[in-house]
Amino acid sequence: MVVRHLGLADYSATFEAMRCFTRERDANTEDELWLLQHPPVFTQGISGKAEHLLMPGDIPVVQIDRGGQVTYHGPGQWVVYLLVDIRRAGIGVRQLVTLIESAIVELLAVYGIAAAADPKAPGVYVSGRKIASLGLKISRGCSYHGLALNVDMDLSPFQRINPCGYAGLEVVSMAMLLPNDTVNMSAVGERLLAELQRQIDLAVAATA
């Protein structure tokens, strides 16, 4: 699996790059994980409703083709895009969602944060507060889009939306939950990538 560190990357250009990669890949193309951050942007999924955009203001809104409603991306949040041939891997969509959520839960446990997934609302939560969002698109048996983990970021833009379509949903970050610690962005990113790769390997091995 190829891992790419893309730094701070424009959302629209990255979105188009994901679509292009997925459109042009073939049965022998190696899967990829892209680790990056985005400048401030709201992204609205295919089922997104305008009423969930409360006050976008000067932050751009980009309509995209993943599932789900509106969310926010900004510096201090790790985004990982999973460009995986799930058909070749023998992984179902629900299984992919579960392994992504499990990877985030396991990562947070390393930092002493007790988190869990919610079967009724994709993502990862800490005592009902959302710390990571998740959205995928499957095309020709291949996934793109992925996850966003709030590490050490300005959370105020989430107040301009109903996060993931839920009015009043509280959003938290690792830094908020670990006020006495310095959260190292780079270390979190590397651990997240390693845990995602481990979970994918486990899922593929289980289907072999």
Side-chain angles (χ1 to χ4, degrees):
M1 179 172 286
V2 176
V3 175
R4 301 193 187 278
H5 296 74
L6 303 182
L8 185 68
D10 175 77
Y11 186 86
S12 294
T14 308
F15 174 40
E16 184 53 39
M18 282 192 293
R19 292 175 51 165
C20 181
F21 176 90
T22 303
R23 184 170 58 246
E24 296 181 357
R25 68 180 301 169
D26 60 30
N28 298 313
T29 301
E30 196 167 0
D31 294 331
E32 299 196 0
L33 297 179
W34 296 359
L35 178 73
L36 63 152
Q37 299 175 58
H38 289 302
V41 64
F42 294 117
T43 64
Q44 180 79 293
I46 54 176
S47 57
K49 297 179 180 178
E51 60 260 35
H52 295 309
L53 281 160
L54 306 178
M55 298 177 295
D58 58 350
I59 298 177
V61 180
V62 180
Q63 300 290 328
I64 57 173
D65 60 354
R66 62 159 170 78
Q69 299 280 339
V70 64
T71 194
Y72 170 73
H73 298 304
Q77 177 194 69
W78 275 131
V79 175
V80 181
Y81 293 130
L82 293 94
L83 308 175
V84 179
D85 187 334
I86 63 172
R87 182 183 298 159
R88 182 177 65 195
I91 301 172
V93 178
R94 180 63 251 181
Q95 189 178 6
L96 179 60
V97 169
T98 298
L99 73 83
I100 294 170
E101 292 171 336
S102 296
I104 298 168
V105 169
E106 292 293 331
L107 165 74
L108 293 173
V110 172
Y111 291 87
I113 298 172
D118 182 345
K120 298 179 181 178
V124 175
Y125 302 82
V126 179
S127 300
R129 299 171 293 173
K130 195 161 196 174
I131 194 169
S133 58
L134 193 155
L136 295 167
K137 170 72 175 179
I138 307 298
S139 175
R140 298 185 300 115
C142 299
S143 68
Y144 60 103
H145 295 294
L147 68 92
L149 173 64
N150 304 332
V151 182
D152 188 2
M153 65 185 299
D154 176 11
L155 296 174
S156 63
F158 283 103
Q159 298 174 12
R160 304 192 196 184
I161 61 174
N162 291 328
C164 304
Y166 292 93
L169 176 64
E170 188 177 351
V171 178
V172 295
S173 66
M174 293 178 66
M176 278 183 63
L177 298 171
L178 303 168
N180 298 320
D181 298 329
T182 299
V183 180
N184 185 301
M185 278 290 293
S186 295
V188 171
E190 292 304 318
R191 283 178 166 173
L192 179 57
L193 287 171
E195 188 59 36
L196 282 166
Q197 289 177 288
R198 190 180 77 85
Q199 293 286 341
I200 292 171
D201 288 344
L202 287 171
V204 172
T207 66

